[in-house]
Amino acid sequence: MDVEEVKQLVQKPLDEDLWPKQLTAAVRLLAAFAGGDPEQITSALSEDGDLTMHLQGLWPRAIAQGIPLPLVAQVIQPQGPKPGQAADRLLRGVLNSYVLTLRDLTQLPKELYPRWREIRQIQNQLLTLQAILHQWRLEEDGAPVRVTLYGPVAGGTLKAAGLAGVKVTQAKLAKPWLHGFLGSLPMPAIVAGRRSQGGRAGSGQQQEVLTRAKDLRRRQFPRTRSAALNRGEREVLYGKTAVSDFTAFDLEFSSGNAREGMFITEIGAVKVKANHIVDTFNVFVQVPARRHLNTYSQRVTGIHEETLKQYGLPANEAIRQFIDFIGEDSLLGFSMHGGDLPVLRRQFNLYPQPYRLIDVALLAKQAGPMPGNPEVSLTTYRHYLGLSLLAHGALYDAVTTYALYAYLQEDARDPEALVKEFNQVFEATSLKQKK
């Protein structure tokens, strides 16, 4: 197939009235170019003007003609093109919507688990087609588009990438976890352009923060002689040896402008021995003098300045208690270089002892993306591990960090049992005893 011919056809402006047929024809061209089956590409326009396309023909031919997958193939394009818009502009959005669904196993049913390698081939095919469409939009003398494909890749995918000049890097992919498949059959159609509305704390989370802050009891711990965090600048050297006894932690903090500053608002930690939670630590921290908690931090975490003023500990007291709680344990965190370590350094001049700190995010990257998602996000892993915990809470993120570490050590905890254990230990160790 002539590459320039395909390129020109998918970049041809769509007609206001004929765009559904033209877009479908462009998808069929891409299917043929990438070793798919164009005859399986079909479409239908609803009375509301939504175009539903059946994309199974874009899959590698061996999969498309094999045993049917219980995988939804319908993608709804809810609106037509803008004036003068070409087919490839709409197609990149359609492909992206499908890729986002495939990379989140929580949207896929357990029936698909035995065929996760084929699902990965489909995702790699669609990622490559996105890269090809992008490559064709660049100047001919520009640098080639590069794409990293995780796990198995179909031969037709690599051939199409080579013809289009896209540079492919293949990387390993960790075997997915059966419990990560949380969706149900039949799968709903995918709507192109639909975005998550997450990222903000609802009224329920704000109330939970306030209730927890009121109920926390003050605790004292023996002063540690070998603290995992000490004052004084030193190189951050991460531990690489697996540990069975440790403290997993997380911080919530405000990172704002010069007036607001960078300071901790919540510290959460769980102490783990032999893969079980045995103790918990949770404090809210007062806002430093002449500083203000920015609106964004309050909106995301549900932690309000008035809550910290009324129920928070002074910052030096809170950090001292945290250090003593850790004791001589190794300290586990998640992607600490971007937030937790800088705020500890700026606010308290604290640095981790060499090799006492383990970054679970780095371990996850080394193991290969799970579930095939190069984006390292604690929220993604919380969903993937099936943990019914609130997001953007330091204590709950510490539990997720522990659960992810156990999973990476091939000693994954049952999510319901883990949450039950955490709740029992938290109530016994960190909350005021009800009379």
Side-chain angles (χ1 to χ4, degrees):
M1 178 174 291
D2 183 80
V3 177
E4 282 301 317
E5 179 183 358
V6 179
K7 175 180 174 180
Q8 291 175 12
L9 287 173
V10 298
Q11 292 180 352
K12 184 178 180 180
L14 296 168
D15 184 90
E16 183 178 355
D17 298 320
L18 300 177
W19 74 269
K21 292 183 178 179
Q22 293 172 330
L23 186 62
T24 304
V27 178
R28 287 173 176 158
L29 274 175
L30 276 183
F33 178 74
D37 188 353
E39 293 183 3
Q40 295 199 47
I41 302 292
T42 60
S43 66
L45 191 65
S46 71
E47 294 181 356
D48 296 329
D50 297 340
L51 181 67
T52 300
M53 290 181 288
H54 192 283
L55 298 184
Q56 186 172 344
L58 280 179
W59 301 352
R61 184 177 290 270
I63 297 174
Q65 294 182 343
I67 302 173
L69 278 168
L71 180 67
V72 65
Q74 289 80 27
V75 177
I76 297 174
Q77 175 61 44
Q79 58 187 15
K82 298 176 182 178
Q85 191 174 37
D88 62 335
R89 300 294 193 188
L90 283 184
L91 279 176
R92 286 175 65 180
V94 169
L95 294 173
N96 187 59
S97 298
Y98 204 105
V99 165
L100 290 177
T101 298
L102 291 183
R103 83 177 188 180
D104 182 3
L105 298 189
T106 63
Q107 298 189 48
L108 304 181
K110 282 185 169 60
E111 289 82 356
L112 288 170
Y113 175 75
R115 302 184 67 180
W116 68 269
R117 294 182 64 85
E118 292 165 284
I119 294 171
R120 195 62 218 175
Q121 284 185 315
I122 295 170
Q123 185 177 7
N124 284 333
Q125 174 95 328
L126 301 184
L127 281 168
T128 301
L129 290 175
Q130 283 183 282
I132 288 172
L133 293 175
H134 181 44
Q135 179 71 60
W136 286 343
R137 279 284 172 180
L138 299 180
E139 299 292 337
E140 292 186 4
D141 58 351
V145 172
R146 298 179 180 275
V147 60
T148 300
L149 304 180
Y150 295 90
V153 183
T157 302
L158 295 174
K159 182 179 178 181
L163 289 172
V166 171
K167 300 297 183 182
V168 173
T169 299
Q170 291 184 252
K172 67 178 181 179
L173 173 71
K175 184 178 180 180
W177 190 36
L178 173 61
H179 293 287
F181 289 73
L182 301 177
S184 58
L185 287 173
M187 294 178 62
I190 299 166
V191 179
R194 178 180 290 171
R195 296 183 178 274
S196 170
Q197 299 301 313
R200 295 190 177 188
S203 58
Q205 183 166 338
Q206 296 175 40
Q207 183 60 46
E208 191 278 339
V209 167
L210 181 59
T211 301
R212 181 156 43 92
K214 289 180 179 179
D215 290 344
L216 288 174
R217 62 186 176 95
R218 294 202 175 193
R219 302 177 64 191
Q220 296 296 327
F221 306 94
R223 186 62 61 94
T224 180
R225 294 184 178 181
S226 180
L229 298 168
N230 289 122
R231 298 186 188 277
E233 184 174 351
R234 64 179 63 84
E235 183 181 359
V236 177
L237 299 172
Y238 292 107
K240 297 180 181 179
T241 304
V243 291
S244 58
D245 298 347
F246 54 84
T247 296
F249 86 106
D250 187 74
L251 306 176
E252 295 298 334
F253 55 88
S254 175
S255 179
N257 55 34
R259 175 174 174 270
E260 294 161 344
M262 188 177 190
F263 52 85
I264 295 172
T265 57
E266 183 192 1
I267 306 173
V270 293
K271 192 174 286 288
V272 176
K273 294 186 181 299
N275 206 23
H276 286 280
I277 296 175
V278 297
D279 204 350
T280 64
F281 178 84
N282 192 205
V283 295
F284 292 90
V285 186
Q286 293 175 4
V287 177
R290 296 181 297 279
R291 299 295 186 193
H292 293 276
L293 181 58
N294 65 53
T295 303
Y296 175 78
S297 296
Q298 297 183 63
R299 187 169 64 237
V300 170
T301 65
I303 301 173
H304 293 284
E305 189 163 337
E306 187 61 32
T307 301
L308 300 180
K309 181 178 180 180
Q310 189 169 0
Y311 300 107
L313 293 182
N316 285 330
E317 181 181 347
I319 202 68
R320 182 70 256 173
Q321 286 191 16
F322 174 52
I323 290 172
D324 291 339
F325 174 79
I326 299 167
E328 299 189 7
D329 283 354
S330 293
L331 188 60
L332 272 63
F334 186 90
S335 197
M336 295 167 285
H337 66 281
D340 292 350
L341 292 184
V343 73
L344 287 169
R345 180 174 67 247
R346 295 180 190 180
Q347 190 173 4
F348 302 104
N349 191 33
L350 285 175
Y351 290 78
Q353 288 277 32
Y355 308 113
R356 290 276 295 277
L357 190 67
I358 296 176
D359 193 329
V360 182
L362 294 178
L363 299 181
K365 287 182 179 180
Q366 294 166 6
M370 298 171 303
N373 180 2
E375 172 192 342
V376 175
S377 160
L378 200 57
T379 299
T380 298
Y381 290 125
R382 177 170 53 83
H383 284 299
Y384 180 55
L385 294 169
L387 298 172
S388 55
L389 298 168
L390 289 175
H392 301 301
L395 179 63
Y396 304 122
D397 284 350
V399 177
T400 303
T401 298
Y402 153 53
L404 177 57
Y405 183 72
Y407 171 76
L408 292 170
Q409 298 302 315
E410 299 184 353
D411 202 6
R413 297 289 307 273
D414 175 81
E416 291 186 7
L418 174 58
V419 172
K420 181 179 179 180
E421 177 179 275
F422 159 70
N423 286 330
Q424 290 175 340
V425 176
F426 178 55
E427 183 175 342
T429 59
S430 293
L431 297 181
K432 297 174 184 176
Q433 300 302 307
K434 297 179 180 179
K435 297 180 181 180

